């Protein structure tokens, strides 16, 4: 697992040592930038989606805790790197993931990175569980995964879903469309208990939105928004069973 990181350290030589150690011994760390003071560090943190910050405690015009206060909502892990052990309690109170003493021990650095990696892996696993649409979602809601998290939508707002290779286009009642990185079969299984019918290999419709059925070998359905969708002959019986 690659971890996006920055180094915040006012001493150039210390930054160089830490960068070299990380590059040589911690290949899963991707260093996106370095800062020698609080203001530069704040810019890097706000402009990047970071996994971990290697943070010296004492810096010009403030310290690490001043920086964390300015950041506010912290969504990254913090590894403190300092020559002073009397900051340990304060670091603990700041929810530090690890506390490294200078001069840096390579073994301790590897241990710190492994520890943070394990934390992020567990967090990703938990998010994957949340991001997965469920058939037993509370109050008829499902989650739609996005790059930066997920969006919660009402299943009743879904008019129909259309297959797009390994993606699915979800069309909503407000005329908006959501592109989801899941197959239509996956979405179908997720909406099993929500009155959605697979009427075609490429279409899944909200049965509650059907206002008309047009006869034919398979026929077609017209939705409340005027959209007409062909029905496969093999899916016709399943569809009509909803209206018995």
């Amino acid at each position: 697992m690659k971890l996006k990181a920055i180094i915040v350290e006012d001493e150039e030589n210390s930054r160089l040592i830490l960068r070299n150690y990380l590059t040589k011994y911690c290949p899963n760390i991707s260093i996106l930038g370095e800062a020698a003071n609080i203001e530069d560090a704040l810019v890097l943190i706000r402009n990047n989606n970071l996994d971990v910050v290697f943070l010296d405690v004492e810096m010009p015009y403030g310290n690490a805790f001043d920086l964390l206060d300015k950041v506010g909502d912290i969504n990254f892990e913090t590894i403190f790197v300092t020559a002073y052990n009397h900051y340990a309690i304060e670091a603990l109170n700041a929810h530090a993931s690890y506390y490294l003493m200078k001069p840096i021990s390579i073994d301790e650095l590897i241990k710190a990175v492994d520890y943070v990696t394990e934390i992020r892996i567990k967090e990703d696993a938990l998010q994957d569980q949340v991001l997965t649409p469920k058939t037993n979602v509370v109050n008829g809601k499902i989650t739609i995964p996005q790059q930066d998290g997920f969006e919660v939508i009402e299943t009743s707002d879904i008019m129909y879903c259309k297959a797009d290779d390994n993606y699915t286009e979800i069309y909503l009642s407000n005329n908006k469309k959501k592109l989801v990185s899941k197959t239509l079969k996956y979405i179908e299984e997720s909406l099993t208990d929500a009155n959605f019918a697979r009427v075609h290999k490429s279409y899944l419709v909200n049965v509650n939105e059907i206002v008309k059925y047009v006869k034919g070998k398979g026929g077609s359905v017209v939705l409340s928004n005027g959209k007409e969708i062909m029905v496969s002959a093999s899916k016709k019986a399943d569809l009509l069973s909803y209206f018995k």
Side-chain angles (χ1 to χ4, degrees):
M1 182 184 191
K2 274 284 186 182
L3 299 182
K4 298 184 290 295
I6 64 170
I7 297 172
V8 183
E9 164 67 66
D10 65 312
E11 296 180 1
E12 183 177 359
N13 189 54
S14 295
R15 288 199 305 274
L16 177 61
I17 291 172
L18 180 54
R19 185 198 319 136
N20 289 342
Y21 281 179
L22 288 171
T23 301
K24 184 173 183 179
Y25 300 106
C26 305
N28 68 317
I29 293 290
S30 177
I31 302 173
L32 302 187
E34 300 177 10
N37 56 64
I38 289 177
E39 294 308 317
D40 289 347
L42 199 57
V43 171
L44 283 174
I45 290 171
R46 288 175 175 169
N47 290 340
N48 294 281
N49 183 21
L50 300 172
D51 294 299
V52 57
V53 173
F54 293 89
L55 185 56
D56 185 21
V57 175
E58 294 193 340
M59 288 177 287
Y61 312 110
N63 60 31
F65 308 107
D66 297 323
L67 171 61
L68 295 177
D69 285 341
K70 288 177 180 290
V71 171
D73 188 14
I74 298 172
N75 57 6
F76 51 81
E77 306 303 322
T78 307
I79 296 178
F80 280 88
V81 184
T82 179
Y84 307 98
N85 59 16
H86 58 269
Y87 288 113
I89 298 299
E90 199 170 353
L92 181 63
N93 292 335
H95 305 290
S97 299
Y98 216 91
Y99 194 89
L100 289 173
M101 292 293 298
K102 296 178 181 178
I104 297 173
S105 160
I106 293 173
D107 288 341
E108 279 299 307
L109 177 62
I110 294 172
K111 190 183 298 184
V113 170
D114 286 346
Y115 181 71
V116 168
T117 302
E118 185 177 348
I119 291 174
R120 299 308 271 191
I121 288 174
K122 288 180 179 178
E123 288 178 350
D124 280 358
L126 178 60
Q127 286 186 18
D128 285 343
Q129 291 176 11
V130 175
L131 294 179
T132 303
K134 302 294 184 181
T135 57
N136 59 344
V137 288
V138 177
N139 298 327
K141 294 181 175 64
I142 64 169
T143 57
I144 301 300
Q146 298 177 333
Q147 283 189 338
D148 59 348
F150 62 91
E151 180 180 357
V152 179
I153 65 174
E154 300 277 352
T155 56
S156 59
D157 288 338
I158 300 174
M159 300 290 293
Y160 65 97
C161 304
K162 180 183 177 182
D164 183 7
D165 291 329
N166 290 324
Y167 290 80
T168 298
E169 298 173 354
I170 297 179
Y171 291 82
L172 304 177
S173 56
N174 60 5
N175 293 321
K176 290 186 177 180
K177 180 179 74 173
K178 307 289 183 181
L179 184 63
V180 185
S181 57
K182 299 291 183 182
T183 64
L184 186 60
K185 178 177 175 58
Y186 182 91
I187 299 297
E188 178 186 9
E189 292 173 350
S190 301
L191 294 170
T192 299
D193 299 327
N195 284 335
F196 280 77
R198 185 76 170 265
V199 298
H200 187 279
K201 67 177 183 179
S202 298
Y203 286 95
L204 179 71
V205 302
N206 184 343
V207 175
N208 294 323
E209 296 296 334
I210 296 175
V211 296
K212 184 179 180 180
Y213 172 74
V214 181
K215 289 182 179 180
K217 183 174 177 61
S220 64
V221 292
V222 179
L223 305 183
S224 61
N225 64 352
K227 173 70 175 179
E228 185 172 3
I229 297 174
M230 299 301 296
V231 178
S232 298
S234 60
K235 302 292 185 182
K236 181 177 178 178
D238 289 341
L239 171 67
L240 295 180
S241 69
Y242 282 91
F243 300 97
K244 289 182 178 179

